[in-house]
Amino acid sequence: MRIASLILAIFLFLYVNSDKNGFLRQTTRGSDSGSALMSNKTMTVRTPLELKMNSQKYVVTGYPQYVKVKISGPSAMVTTVSNTQNFKVYADLTKLGIGEHTVTLKESGLNSELRSKITPQKITVNIQPRSTITAPVEVRLNAKTVNGNYHVGTPKPSMKTVQISGAKNQVKKVAKVIAYVDIPKDASSNINRQVTLQAVDKKGRAVNVVVMPSSINVEVPITKQGDDDQISSSSSSDSESSNAKVDSSSIESSNSSNSSSSSSH
């Protein structure tokens, strides 16, 4: 009985110790994964810059379209923000007037556990009153002749005037809006092109304004020179025929007048 009790006690001792060691190992693994979740990470994200302003009344120039944001914090949170970019960087211009201003950029939407640094931290912007005018559209062709017996006719834009919007000091420089159309050398039929419009000043230099709409359709007629000659000949024949009729009626009128005169005598 004593020997059996001793053996049983030894087995119980080994069993209890093995359970404790297993529990300790599990606890250690859990702490390792917890420390991995709590590790810090730093990433730089490129994000668009937003402006808070009255865009219908003012125009702003001089600001970058994108800025960089350095984000630091818990690894999982930084990775999520980098993938979703569920935050924004903005410049508040609502209380500023016309002229040049230096503004500090701000961010919103980031978790309080994350730290951020915006580059650049400050920007210089120029605020000007917005102006809108109507300007004529002029179509320019890169070629007025094509290969073969074909003739390039007068281009027909879908719109003769468009709206120009932008800073007042830029809008007043606009003289006209140009639609450039490329005519292939082997063109043999009418051409339809959707072309981008460009506002220029009196010297033909581009002006920094917004053209609305930004593009229009232009139709350029391409005809055979022989067809043009036939049309011209047909018009000439009709004209001669018309003149002949007029001359004939004049002769008849003259003869009638003469016979009337002789009868009175």
Side-chain angles (χ1 to χ4, degrees), residues 12-212:
L12 287 174
F13 176 78
L14 294 174
Y15 176 76
V16 170
N17 279 333
S18 65
D19 284 349
K20 287 183 178 180
N21 290 336
F23 175 76
L24 288 174
R25 283 195 296 271
Q26 290 175 2
T27 304
T28 303
R29 285 197 297 270
S31 64
D32 289 343
S33 61
S35 62
L37 290 173
M38 295 304 294
S39 64
N40 288 336
K41 186 177 183 180
T42 299
M43 290 187 70
T44 299
V45 179
R46 185 172 178 263
T47 187
L49 174 63
E50 297 184 13
L51 302 180
K52 285 188 175 183
M53 55 170 290
N54 186 346
S55 59
Q56 294 183 346
K57 190 175 180 181
Y58 299 104
V59 176
V60 179
T61 57
Y63 64 94
Q65 188 176 359
Y66 291 89
V67 294
K68 293 181 179 180
V69 185
K70 187 177 181 181
I71 303 173
S72 303
S75 178
M77 296 179 67
V78 172
T79 301
T80 301
V81 169
S82 176
N83 292 335
T84 61
Q85 293 197 18
N86 56 350
F87 70 99
K88 64 180 181 180
V89 178
Y90 66 93
D92 190 354
L93 312 178
T94 53
K95 297 181 180 179
L96 302 179
I98 297 171
E100 195 170 86
H101 306 273
T102 299
V103 186
T104 301
L105 302 183
K106 301 177 182 179
E107 63 79 18
S108 65
L110 281 179
N111 190 288
S112 58
E113 295 185 38
L114 297 174
R115 300 179 303 277
S116 64
K117 182 180 179 181
I118 305 170
T119 304
Q121 293 181 334
K122 295 183 178 182
I123 60 171
T124 300
V125 297
N126 189 359
I127 303 175
Q128 293 295 326
R130 180 179 288 278
S131 177
T132 301
I133 64 169
T134 300
V137 175
E138 179 183 307
V139 180
R140 291 188 182 177
L141 309 178
N142 71 321
K144 294 185 178 180
T145 58
V146 291
N147 294 336
N149 298 321
Y150 291 95
H151 173 70
V152 180
T154 303
K156 302 174 183 178
S158 58
M159 299 181 67
K160 293 183 178 180
T161 60
V162 291
Q163 282 193 331
I164 305 296
S165 181
K168 190 174 182 179
N169 60 349
Q170 292 295 314
V171 170
K172 67 181 182 181
K173 296 179 182 178
V174 177
K176 54 190 171 183
V177 177
I178 305 298
Y180 293 97
V181 181
D182 182 30
I183 305 296
K185 285 292 184 182
D186 58 349
S188 59
S189 60
N190 291 358
I191 295 174
N192 281 281
R193 292 283 188 272
Q194 189 73 20
V195 295
T196 302
L197 301 177
Q198 185 177 40
V200 296
D201 59 14
K202 293 180 180 179
K203 296 183 178 180
R205 296 172 298 191
V207 183
N208 184 22
V209 292
V210 177
V211 183
M212 300 176 292

